[in-house]
Amino acid sequence: MATKKHTTIIDTTANKALGLVTKVNDLAISTTEKVAMKSIGLTEKGLGLSTKIVKKGIKASAKNQELVFNTLETVKGKAVKFLPKFK
């Protein structure tokens, strides 16, 4: 009978330990899933913001490029008028 009590205590302790480990594992999985989903959400927001910034940068670059070409055309027009006089 002494063996039966020790086996029962060992089984009970093992079952309690298994239950605790299962709870810890479930908590770890749940926490990992929450962290992963939050990270994905933040990454999506960051990509959206980056897209907006790049689009605005491209528009600004296009305006600057247009300004440079207009300036070059103006300088070219003036140079064409005045260069023949120096020959």
Side-chain angles (χ1 to χ4, degrees):
M1 284 195 184
T3 308
K4 252 188 177 177
K5 275 190 173 183
H6 288 294
T7 304
T8 304
I9 291 171
I10 291 171
D11 286 341
T12 303
T13 305
N15 286 335
K16 284 182 182 180
L18 181 60
L20 288 173
V21 168
T22 302
K23 285 181 183 179
V24 169
N25 188 40
D26 290 344
L27 179 63
I29 289 172
S30 174
T31 303
T32 302
E33 183 179 7
K34 286 177 185 176
V35 168
M37 296 308 292
K38 187 71 171 180
S39 296
I40 290 169
L42 290 173
T43 301
E44 287 175 346
K45 285 182 182 179
L47 287 172
L49 181 61
S50 296
T51 301
K52 288 179 183 177
I53 290 170
V54 167
K55 284 181 181 179
K56 286 182 180 181
I58 289 172
K59 286 180 183 178
S61 178
K63 287 180 183 178
N64 287 339
Q65 188 176 24
E66 189 66 29
L67 180 64
V68 167
F69 282 126
N70 288 340
T71 304
L72 289 173
E73 285 294 325
T74 303
V75 170
K76 177 185 167 187
K78 289 182 180 183
V80 167
K81 286 181 183 178
F82 293 112
L83 283 180
K85 292 180 182 178
F86 291 110
K87 286 186 177 181

